[in-house]
Amino acid sequence: MEGTNSLGKKRNPSFELLRVIAMFMIITLHYNTHTNALLQLGLPATAVNIFANIMEAFVITGLNVYVLISGYFLSKGKVKLSRIITLICQVYFYTLIISLVMQAVGASSGVRYDSMYKIVEYIFPISSEHYWFVTAYVIMYILAPVMNAAVEKLSRKQMRAVIFLLLTWFCFIKSVVPVLFPTDKFGYDYGWFICLYLIAAYIRKYDVVLFYNARNSALVFLISCAVIATMSISLYYINYNWGGVAHFQEVPFNFNFFFTLTGSLGLFSFFRFFKMRENKAADVVRFLGPLTFGVYLLHMHVEIRDRWVEWMESLMGSVPTYSVPLFAWHAVRSILIVFLAGIFVDWIRKMIFDYVGRVLHDTWLFKQVRKLDEELD
């Protein structure tokens, strides 16, 4: 039912608003990447490059926040087999349908679909990392019951120790040592998602009040992002003038960088304090929140992810790299269009899934899935 969670309760509008904001942040990250707007090693800096780096610093927390929200609610709710199946079906809906549509309308990128690799990539989108985020997210989701059992059994002290040790491995060391470790995936893996999940589970189980209040939480977010921006720009100039720390220039924009984590926790904490009023706006974000995953699946599809900026340019002209205000205006419009297109497509997808669910509700297969849900509960 729209606007409700798996437990049949109304979704918290404050967290659904944060989910929407997080997806806007994620699209912004991709916009900066595909417009080549960020500072690049060896190339002179422009005002737009500096602006894009600052913008990047303030949106880099979006992905972590999205995972924290999932961990916060999944750690308390019931992880059902039916939900995992629906999630996987949603991924297949995008990987297969979009490709077929693009072929049918003659808009395919020209990728060879008769190669063995492409066949595997579309038949096994999760194993092949068609979307790296989806691969990590699905693995985290499947492991959720195991992590929930651990959270339930471990003492508070034991859980703190586990989280600290994981963060030492995935976050603390890599944030200060200016070399690339073979095991460091920059947060682009399920290991980092598990860290975030356990942090969110710990916060929920013990009702941890991060940073004491909303004001402090906002300050932690803003200061963390300011540090990321300052470091990224400073390291660029150090590398540009003297060299020597090329790898470390990229570290502030890693998802598992220390200040990216603190910024993510600050933003997450702020929205725990923020109480959205029950009104039309709350209903709107309850509608939008569950559809945001589809926004990601649409604009990061292999046929679309390297081309949607070009499509925006055909609508609004080339990305104005000569003017910060014009660049910002182009970015805002592009990101909004991508978000709304993704919401619309996933709304259609949801209606199709709901219809199929109603038609097949009493079939043997659906009954077996519901039976397994009850047995695994």
Side-chain angles (χ1 to χ4, degrees), residues 190-202:
Y190 65 88
W192 179 240
F193 281 26
I194 288 172
C195 288
L196 294 172
Y197 187 102
L198 292 175
I199 291 170
Y202 180 83

Side-chain angles (χ1 to χ4, degrees), residues 320-337:
T321 57
Y322 52 86
S323 167
V324 169
L326 291 178
F327 172 81
W329 177 230
H330 192 282
V332 168
R333 288 179 294 163
S334 299
I335 292 162
L336 182 60
I337 290 171

